[in-house]
Amino acid sequence: MIVSVNTAVVEWYFKCDYEGNADGFDGVTIAGFDADMKIYDLREFQSKAEHYYPYGE
């Protein structure tokens, strides 16, 4: 998680089992907050590509 001023960036993993088919994907949420700390902008992205971590996790 990264928090800077009124913006938060969060990485997450979603996994589900729908009718016997397990699937999942990585995602990122970027949330913008106003002066009252209420969300005014929300963007979410998913990644289905295989990730390669050459130096470990």
Side-chain angles (χ1 to χ4, degrees):
M1 178 189 303
I2 299 170
V3 177
S4 177
V5 188
N6 287 357
T7 303
V9 180
V10 181
E11 292 180 280
W12 43 267
Y13 182 76
F14 177 80
K15 183 175 181 181
C16 68
D17 185 342
Y18 181 70
E19 295 181 349
N21 297 314
D23 196 11
F25 58 87
D26 292 303
V28 173
T29 298
I30 303 172
F33 297 88
D34 64 16
D36 295 324
M37 295 308 290
K38 294 183 180 180
I39 296 172
Y40 74 88
D41 186 31
L42 185 66
R43 298 168 191 223
E44 295 187 314
F45 305 90
Q46 80 173 38
S47 172
K48 292 283 254 178
E50 184 175 332
H51 298 281
Y52 174 68
Y53 300 98
Y55 305 108
E57 289 192 41

Coordinates of all heavy atoms in Angstrom, one line a residue:
M1 N 0.9 -1.2 0.0 CA 0.0 0.0 0.0 C 0.9 1.2 0.0 O 1.9 1.3 0.7 CB -0.9 0.0 1.2 CG -1.8 1.3 1.2 SD -2.7 1.6 2.7 CE -3.7 0.2 2.9
I2 N 0.5 2.2 -0.8 CA 1.2 3.5 -0.8 C 0.1 4.6 -0.5 O -0.9 4.6 -1.1 CB 1.8 3.8 -2.2 CG1 2.8 2.7 -2.6 CG2 2.4 5.2 -2.3 CD1 3.3 2.8 -4.0
V3 N 0.4 5.4 0.4 CA -0.5 6.6 0.7 C 0.3 7.8 0.6 O 1.4 8.0 1.2 CB -1.1 6.4 2.2 CG1 -1.9 7.6 2.5 CG2 -1.8 5.1 2.3
S4 N -0.2 8.8 -0.2 CA 0.5 10.1 -0.4 C -0.6 11.2 -0.4 O -1.4 11.2 -1.3 CB 1.3 10.0 -1.7 OG 1.8 11.3 -1.9
V5 N -0.5 12.1 0.5 CA -1.5 13.2 0.7 C -2.9 12.6 0.7 O -3.2 12.0 1.7 CB -1.3 14.2 -0.4 CG1 -2.1 15.5 -0.1 CG2 0.2 14.6 -0.5
N6 N -3.7 12.7 -0.3 CA -5.1 12.3 -0.3 C -5.3 11.2 -1.4 O -6.4 11.0 -1.9 CB -6.0 13.4 -0.6 CG -6.1 14.3 0.6 OD1 -5.6 14.1 1.6 ND2 -6.9 15.4 0.4
T7 N -4.2 10.4 -1.7 CA -4.3 9.3 -2.6 C -3.8 8.0 -2.0 O -2.7 8.0 -1.4 CB -3.6 9.6 -3.9 OG1 -4.1 10.8 -4.5 CG2 -3.7 8.5 -4.9
A8 N -4.5 6.9 -2.2 CA -4.0 5.6 -1.7 C -3.9 4.6 -2.9 O -4.9 4.6 -3.8 CB -4.9 5.0 -0.7
V9 N -2.9 3.9 -3.0 CA -2.7 2.8 -4.1 C -2.5 1.5 -3.4 O -1.7 1.3 -2.5 CB -1.5 3.2 -4.9 CG1 -1.3 2.1 -6.0 CG2 -1.6 4.5 -5.5
V10 N -3.4 0.5 -3.7 CA -3.4 -0.8 -3.0 C -3.3 -1.9 -4.0 O -4.1 -1.9 -5.0 CB -4.7 -0.9 -2.2 CG1 -4.6 -2.3 -1.4 CG2 -4.8 0.2 -1.2
E11 N -2.4 -2.8 -3.8 CA -2.3 -4.0 -4.7 C -3.1 -5.1 -4.0 O -3.1 -5.2 -2.7 CB -0.9 -4.5 -4.8 CG 0.0 -3.6 -5.6 CD 1.4 -4.2 -5.7 OE1 2.2 -4.0 -4.7 OE2 1.8 -4.8 -6.7
W12 N -3.8 -6.0 -4.7 CA -4.6 -7.0 -4.2 C -4.7 -8.2 -5.1 O -4.3 -8.1 -6.3 CB -6.0 -6.5 -3.8 CG -6.6 -5.7 -4.8 CD1 -6.6 -4.3 -4.9 CD2 -7.4 -6.1 -6.0 NE1 -7.3 -3.9 -6.0 CE2 -7.8 -5.0 -6.7 CE3 -7.8 -7.3 -6.5 CZ2 -8.6 -5.0 -7.8 CZ3 -8.6 -7.4 -7.6 CH2 -9.0 -6.2 -8.3
Y13 N -5.1 -9.3 -4.6 CA -5.3 -10.5 -5.4 C -6.8 -11.0 -5.2 O -7.2 -11.1 -4.1 CB -4.3 -11.7 -5.0 CG -4.5 -12.9 -5.9 CD1 -4.0 -12.9 -7.2 CD2 -5.2 -14.0 -5.4 CE1 -4.2 -14.0 -8.0 CE2 -5.4 -15.1 -6.2 CZ -4.9 -15.1 -7.5 OH -5.1 -16.2 -8.3
F14 N -7.5 -11.2 -6.3 CA -8.9 -11.7 -6.2 C -8.9 -13.1 -6.7 O -8.3 -13.5 -7.7 CB -9.8 -10.9 -7.1 CG -11.2 -11.3 -7.2 CD1 -12.1 -11.0 -6.2 CD2 -11.6 -12.1 -8.2 CE1 -13.4 -11.4 -6.2 CE2 -13.0 -12.6 -8.2 CZ -13.8 -12.2 -7.2
K15 N -9.5 -14.0 -5.9 CA -9.7 -15.4 -6.3 C -11.1 -15.8 -6.0 O -11.7 -15.4 -5.0 CB -8.7 -16.3 -5.4 CG -8.8 -17.7 -5.8 CD -7.7 -18.5 -5.0 CE -7.8 -20.0 -5.4 NZ -6.8 -20.8 -4.6
C16 N -11.6 -16.6 -7.0 CA -13.0 -17.1 -6.8 C -13.2 -18.5 -7.3 O -12.3 -19.0 -8.1 CB -14.0 -16.2 -7.5 SG -13.9 -16.2 -9.3
D17 N -14.2 -19.1 -6.9 CA -14.6 -20.5 -7.4 C -16.0 -20.4 -7.8 O -16.9 -20.2 -7.0 CB -14.4 -21.5 -6.2 CG -14.7 -22.9 -6.7 OD1 -15.3 -23.1 -7.8 OD2 -14.2 -23.8 -6.0
Y18 N -16.2 -20.4 -9.1 CA -17.5 -20.2 -9.7 C -17.9 -21.5 -10.4 O -17.3 -21.8 -11.4 CB -17.6 -19.0 -10.7 CG -18.9 -18.8 -11.3 CD1 -20.0 -18.3 -10.5 CD2 -19.2 -19.0 -12.6 CE1 -21.2 -18.0 -11.0 CE2 -20.4 -18.8 -13.2 CZ -21.4 -18.3 -12.4 OH -22.7 -18.1 -12.9
E19 N -18.9 -22.2 -9.9 CA -19.4 -23.4 -10.5 C -18.3 -24.4 -10.7 O -18.2 -25.0 -11.8 CB -20.2 -23.1 -11.8 CG -21.4 -22.3 -11.6 CD -22.2 -22.0 -12.8 OE1 -21.7 -22.3 -14.0 OE2 -23.4 -21.6 -12.7
G20 N -17.4 -24.5 -9.7 CA -16.3 -25.5 -9.8 C -15.1 -25.0 -10.6 O -14.1 -25.8 -10.7
N21 N -15.1 -23.8 -11.1 CA -13.9 -23.3 -11.9 C -13.2 -22.2 -11.0 O -13.8 -21.2 -10.8 CB -14.4 -22.7 -13.2 CG -15.0 -23.7 -14.1 OD1 -14.5 -24.8 -14.3 ND2 -16.1 -23.3 -14.7
A22 N -12.0 -22.6 -10.5 CA -11.3 -21.6 -9.7 C -10.5 -20.7 -10.7 O -9.9 -21.1 -11.7 CB -10.3 -22.3 -8.8
D23 N -10.5 -19.4 -10.4 CA -9.8 -18.4 -11.2 C -9.4 -17.3 -10.3 O -9.9 -17.1 -9.2 CB -10.6 -17.9 -12.3 CG -9.8 -17.2 -13.4 OD1 -8.6 -17.3 -13.4 OD2 -10.4 -16.6 -14.3
G24 N -8.5 -16.5 -10.7 CA -8.1 -15.3 -10.0 C -7.2 -14.4 -10.8 O -6.8 -14.7 -11.9
F25 N -7.0 -13.2 -10.2 CA -6.1 -12.2 -10.9 C -5.6 -11.2 -9.9 O -6.2 -11.0 -8.9 CB -6.9 -11.5 -12.1 CG -8.1 -10.8 -11.6 CD1 -8.1 -9.5 -11.2 CD2 -9.4 -11.4 -11.7 CE1 -9.2 -8.8 -10.8 CE2 -10.5 -10.8 -11.3 CZ -10.5 -9.5 -10.9
D26 N -4.5 -10.6 -10.3 CA -3.9 -9.5 -9.5 C -4.6 -8.2 -9.9 O -5.1 -8.1 -11.0 CB -2.4 -9.3 -9.8 CG -1.6 -10.5 -9.3 OD1 -1.7 -10.8 -8.1 OD2 -0.9 -11.1 -10.1
G27 N -4.7 -7.3 -9.0 CA -5.3 -6.0 -9.2 C -4.7 -4.9 -8.5 O -3.9 -5.1 -7.5
V28 N -5.0 -3.7 -8.9 CA -4.6 -2.4 -8.2 C -5.8 -1.5 -8.1 O -6.5 -1.3 -9.0 CB -3.4 -1.7 -9.0 CG1 -3.1 -0.4 -8.4 CG2 -2.2 -2.6 -9.1
T29 N -5.9 -0.9 -6.9 CA -6.9 0.2 -6.7 C -6.2 1.5 -6.4 O -5.3 1.5 -5.6 CB -7.8 -0.2 -5.5 OG1 -8.5 -1.4 -5.8 CG2 -8.9 0.9 -5.3
I30 N -6.7 2.5 -7.1 CA -6.2 3.9 -6.8 C -7.4 4.7 -6.4 O -8.4 4.8 -7.1 CB -5.6 4.5 -8.1 CG1 -4.4 3.7 -8.6 CG2 -5.1 5.9 -7.7 CD1 -3.9 4.1 -10.0
A31 N -7.3 5.2 -5.1 CA -8.4 5.9 -4.5 C -8.0 7.3 -4.2 O -7.0 7.5 -3.6 CB -9.0 5.2 -3.3
G32 N -8.8 8.3 -4.6 CA -8.6 9.7 -4.3 C -9.6 10.1 -3.2 O -10.7 9.8 -3.3
F33 N -9.1 10.9 -2.2 CA -9.9 11.3 -1.1 C -10.0 12.8 -1.1 O -9.0 13.5 -1.3 CB -9.4 10.8 0.2 CG -9.4 9.3 0.3 CD1 -8.3 8.6 -0.1 CD2 -10.4 8.6 0.9 CE1 -8.2 7.2 0.0 CE2 -10.4 7.2 0.9 CZ -9.3 6.5 0.5
D34 N -11.2 13.3 -0.7 CA -11.3 14.8 -0.6 C -10.9 15.2 0.8 O -10.4 14.4 1.6 CB -12.7 15.2 -0.9 CG -13.8 14.7 0.0 OD1 -13.5 14.2 1.2 OD2 -15.0 14.8 -0.3
A35 N -11.1 16.5 1.2 CA -10.7 17.0 2.5 C -11.4 16.4 3.6 O -10.9 16.4 4.7 CB -10.9 18.5 2.5
D36 N -12.6 15.8 3.4 CA -13.4 15.1 4.4 C -13.0 13.6 4.5 O -13.7 12.9 5.2 CB -14.9 15.3 4.2 CG -15.3 16.8 4.4 OD1 -14.7 17.5 5.2 OD2 -16.2 17.2 3.6
M37 N -12.0 13.2 3.7 CA -11.6 11.8 3.6 C -12.7 10.9 3.1 O -12.8 9.7 3.4 CB -11.1 11.3 5.0 CG -9.8 12.0 5.5 SD -8.5 12.0 4.2 CE -8.0 10.3 4.2
K38 N -13.5 11.5 2.2 CA -14.5 10.7 1.4 C -13.9 10.4 0.0 O -13.2 11.3 -0.6 CB -15.8 11.4 1.3 CG -16.5 11.6 2.7 CD -17.8 12.2 2.5 CE -18.4 12.4 3.9 NZ -19.7 13.0 3.8
I39 N -14.1 9.2 -0.5 CA -13.6 8.9 -1.8 C -14.3 9.7 -2.9 O -15.5 9.7 -3.0 CB -13.8 7.4 -2.1 CG1 -13.0 6.5 -1.1 CG2 -13.4 7.1 -3.6 CD1 -13.3 5.1 -1.2
Y40 N -13.5 10.4 -3.7 CA -14.1 11.2 -4.8 C -13.7 10.6 -6.2 O -14.3 10.9 -7.2 CB -13.7 12.7 -4.7 CG -12.3 13.0 -5.1 CD1 -11.9 13.2 -6.4 CD2 -11.3 13.0 -4.2 CE1 -10.6 13.5 -6.8 CE2 -10.0 13.3 -4.5 CZ -9.7 13.5 -5.8 OH -8.4 13.8 -6.1
D41 N -12.7 9.7 -6.2 CA -12.2 9.1 -7.4 C -11.7 7.7 -7.1 O -10.9 7.5 -6.2 CB -11.1 9.9 -8.0 CG -10.7 9.4 -9.4 OD1 -11.5 8.9 -10.1 OD2 -9.5 9.6 -9.8
L42 N -12.2 6.7 -7.8 CA -11.9 5.3 -7.6 C -11.6 4.6 -8.9 O -12.5 4.6 -9.8 CB -13.0 4.6 -6.8 CG -12.7 3.2 -6.4 CD1 -11.6 3.1 -5.4 CD2 -14.0 2.5 -5.9
R43 N -10.4 4.1 -9.1 CA -10.0 3.4 -10.3 C -9.5 2.0 -9.9 O -8.7 1.9 -9.0 CB -9.0 4.2 -11.1 CG -9.5 5.6 -11.5 CD -8.4 6.4 -12.0 NE -8.8 7.8 -12.1 CZ -8.5 8.5 -13.2 NH1 -7.8 8.1 -14.1 NH2 -9.0 9.7 -13.2
E44 N -9.9 1.0 -10.7 CA -9.4 -0.3 -10.4 C -9.0 -1.0 -11.7 O -9.6 -0.8 -12.7 CB -10.5 -1.2 -9.7 CG -10.8 -0.6 -8.3 CD -11.7 -1.5 -7.5 OE1 -12.7 -2.0 -8.1 OE2 -11.4 -1.8 -6.4
F45 N -7.9 -1.7 -11.6 CA -7.3 -2.4 -12.8 C -7.0 -3.8 -12.4 O -6.6 -4.1 -11.3 CB -6.0 -1.6 -13.2 CG -6.2 -0.2 -13.4 CD1 -6.0 0.7 -12.3 CD2 -6.5 0.3 -14.6 CE1 -6.2 2.1 -12.5 CE2 -6.6 1.7 -14.8 CZ -6.5 2.6 -13.8
Q46 N -7.0 -4.7 -13.4 CA -6.7 -6.1 -13.2 C -5.6 -6.5 -14.2 O -5.4 -5.8 -15.2 CB -7.9 -7.0 -13.4 CG -8.2 -7.3 -14.9 CD -9.3 -8.4 -15.0 OE1 -10.2 -8.4 -14.3 NE2 -9.1 -9.2 -16.0
S47 N -4.8 -7.5 -13.8 CA -3.8 -8.0 -14.6 C -3.9 -9.5 -14.7 O -4.0 -10.2 -13.7 CB -2.4 -7.7 -14.0 OG -1.4 -8.4 -14.7
K48 N -4.1 -10.1 -15.9 CA -4.2 -11.5 -16.1 C -2.9 -12.1 -16.6 O -2.8 -13.3 -16.7 CB -5.3 -11.8 -17.1 CG -6.7 -11.5 -16.6 CD -7.2 -12.5 -15.7 CE -8.2 -13.4 -16.3 NZ -8.7 -14.4 -15.4
A49 N -1.9 -11.3 -16.9 CA -0.6 -11.8 -17.4 C 0.2 -12.5 -16.3 O 0.1 -12.2 -15.1 CB 0.2 -10.7 -17.9
E50 N 0.9 -13.5 -16.7 CA 1.8 -14.2 -15.7 C 2.9 -13.3 -15.3 O 3.5 -12.6 -16.1 CB 2.4 -15.5 -16.3 CG 3.2 -16.3 -15.4 CD 3.6 -17.6 -16.0 OE1 2.9 -18.1 -16.9 OE2 4.7 -18.1 -15.6
H51 N 3.2 -13.3 -14.0 CA 4.2 -12.4 -13.5 C 5.5 -13.2 -13.2 O 5.5 -14.3 -12.8 CB 3.8 -11.7 -12.2 CG 2.6 -10.9 -12.4 ND1 2.6 -9.6 -12.9 CD2 1.3 -11.1 -12.1 CE1 1.4 -9.1 -13.0 NE2 0.6 -10.0 -12.5
Y52 N 6.6 -12.5 -13.5 CA 7.9 -13.1 -13.3 C 8.7 -12.2 -12.4 O 8.8 -11.0 -12.6 CB 8.7 -13.2 -14.6 CG 10.1 -13.7 -14.5 CD1 10.4 -15.0 -14.1 CD2 11.1 -12.8 -14.8 CE1 11.7 -15.4 -14.0 CE2 12.4 -13.2 -14.7 CZ 12.7 -14.5 -14.3 OH 14.0 -14.9 -14.2
Y53 N 9.2 -12.8 -11.2 CA 9.9 -12.0 -10.2 C 11.4 -12.6 -10.2 O 11.7 -13.5 -9.5 CB 9.3 -12.2 -8.9 CG 7.9 -11.7 -8.8 CD1 6.8 -12.6 -8.9 CD2 7.6 -10.3 -8.6 CE1 5.5 -12.1 -8.9 CE2 6.3 -9.9 -8.5 CZ 5.3 -10.7 -8.7 OH 4.0 -10.3 -8.6
P54 N 12.3 -12.0 -11.0 CA 13.6 -12.5 -11.1 C 14.4 -12.5 -9.8 O 15.4 -13.2 -9.7 CB 14.3 -11.6 -12.2 CG 13.5 -10.3 -12.1 CD 12.1 -10.7 -11.7
Y55 N 14.1 -11.6 -8.9 CA 14.8 -11.5 -7.6 C 14.0 -12.0 -6.4 O 14.3 -11.6 -5.3 CB 15.2 -10.0 -7.4 CG 16.0 -9.5 -8.6 CD1 15.4 -8.5 -9.5 CD2 17.3 -9.9 -8.9 CE1 16.1 -8.1 -10.6 CE2 18.0 -9.5 -10.0 CZ 17.4 -8.5 -10.8 OH 18.1 -8.1 -11.9
G56 N 13.0 -12.7 -6.6 CA 12.2 -13.3 -5.5 C 11.1 -12.3 -5.2 O 10.9 -11.3 -5.9
E57 N 10.2 -12.7 -4.3 CA 9.1 -11.8 -3.9 C 9.3 -11.0 -2.7 O 10.1 -11.3 -1.9 CB 7.8 -12.7 -3.7 CG 7.4 -13.2 -5.1 CD 6.0 -13.8 -5.0 OE1 5.1 -13.3 -4.3 OE2 5.8 -14.9 -5.6

